[in-house]
Amino acid sequence: MFCMRRLLLLCLLGFVPATLADPIAIAIHGGAGTLTRDSITLEQESSYLAILNTAVQQGYERLRDGADGSDVVRETIRLLENSPLFNAGHGAVLTWDGTHELDASMMLGQSLEAGAVAGVTRVKNPIEAAYAVLTHSPHVLLSGSGADRFAEQQGLTMVENSYFSTPRRVEALKLFRLKHNDKSAQGGDEKFGTVGVVVLDAAGNLAAGTSTGGMTGKRWGRIGDSPLIGSGTYADNRSCAVSATGHGEFFIRWQVASDICARVRYQGLDLEVAANEVIHEELAEVGGEGGVIAIDPAGNVALIFNTEGMYRASINRKGEKVIGIFREDDNTVINGQGLSDG
Ligand code: ASP
């Protein structure tokens, strides 16, 4: 009663809370892969759940306050890039040569503007470089040292390549080299820790972003799906926004992100049906491992993966929050408010 009266008053005054007036929603992933309960300790599990919760909650609150979707995608990815837990920014995986080459991209659903960087080695937050390409260059994708130079010229924070290293990733490379002591190995691991965010903002615009160190032991300047618009990232207000994680070579060839949106747009499929078809039928049939987070203009969210787990969190248009890691977490709704830190 109190709420209705208050809402009426706010409407009369021209102030309508974003959650009631316009649907907003956010979804986050932190990578997919061989994630079983016995593959990580309880302590690790709670660290992942805590940061996923913080990221999704902060992002949601910014959207509720009317923030632009592109800002929320950037801020949320930056938080995950700065965490050593994920394969993006600090904590990124190592190449065969023991260095870091990072990829990131962003796309806006209203204008179809996009920006991406591939194989950058010195920019602290590659998602900021991707956004700078989108906003301050006439191009969509910059690569290697040129992309680093551009980021520096844009005034972004630059770091030594060793900033991205963590003992865990150094160990992973050692193991990878032992296992694949064969020059034809193209890179790969059972876990993918890429990060991605998709949002629907209060203005009704979709946005998507993805950031990654790629795959452990990658060689020869290999570039995955994450910086490729249509493969790892896509956003179009007429259909959906998608960020992917998984074995990039498959996501590139199957054009996963744009294929999901095309099914929504041209076939009129529900978001979840479209994402399931691509991940569980198209990709699973050929052994393409991974998953996606996706959001549509109504604020529906899909968290779909064909691996044993995917670090994921979302708050949909109804304010229902989901946080999960393992398959059996079953996207359980944690609370119906989307407003507490629960
Ligand atoms: N898709 C990324 C790549 O292939 C890896 C990941 O999702 O972790 O570079």
Side-chain angles (χ1 to χ4, degrees), residues 223-244:
I223 290 167
D225 58 312
S226 307
L228 301 184
I229 298 302
S231 303
T233 302
Y234 202 71
D236 182 343
N237 279 3
R238 295 166 297 184
S239 53
C240 63
V242 176
S243 169

Side-chain angles (χ1 to χ4, degrees), residues 127-288:
I127 196 65
E128 294 292 354
Y131 189 62
V133 173
L134 189 159
T135 49
H136 288 101
S137 88
H139 307 298
V140 168
L141 173 60
L142 300 183
S143 70
S145 58
D148 274 320
R149 265 199 329 273
F150 171 76
E152 197 161 15
Q153 279 169 14
Q154 291 299 310
L156 300 184
T157 307
M158 307 303 284
V159 291
E160 294 293 319
N161 193 250
S162 58
Y163 158 80
F164 301 110
S165 288
T166 55
R168 174 182 169 203
R169 301 304 188 191
V170 171
E171 193 53 32
L173 177 63
K174 257 192 221 152
L175 289 175
F176 182 85
R177 278 182 173 158
L178 281 176
K179 199 163 139 196
H180 300 265
N181 209 357
D182 155 14
K183 298 265 188 266
S184 65
Q186 58 162 319
D189 196 359
E190 292 95 24
K191 291 192 200 69
F192 311 104
T194 293
V195 304
V197 177
V198 291
V199 302
L200 168 68
D201 70 18
N205 292 318
L206 297 171
T210 311
S211 178
T212 189
M215 292 172 82
T216 300
K218 65 183 184 180
R219 299 164 67 105
W220 309 301
R222 179 263 187 192
I223 290 167
D225 58 312
S226 307
L228 301 184
I229 298 302
S231 303
T233 302
Y234 202 71
D236 182 343
N237 279 3
R238 295 166 297 184
S239 53
C240 63
V242 176
S243 169
T245 176
H247 195 152
E249 279 64 15
F250 288 90
F251 283 69
I252 293 171
R253 291 189 290 141
W254 268 261
Q255 285 291 286
V256 166
S258 60
D259 188 13
I260 293 171
C261 293
R263 285 166 199 249
V264 170
R265 183 165 171 215
Y266 301 122
Q267 292 186 289
L269 295 186
D270 279 350
L271 182 68
E272 185 145 332
V273 174
N276 266 314
E277 280 185 4
V278 175
I279 298 299
H280 288 296
E281 293 172 26
E282 302 281 341
L283 277 188
E285 270 167 27
V286 292

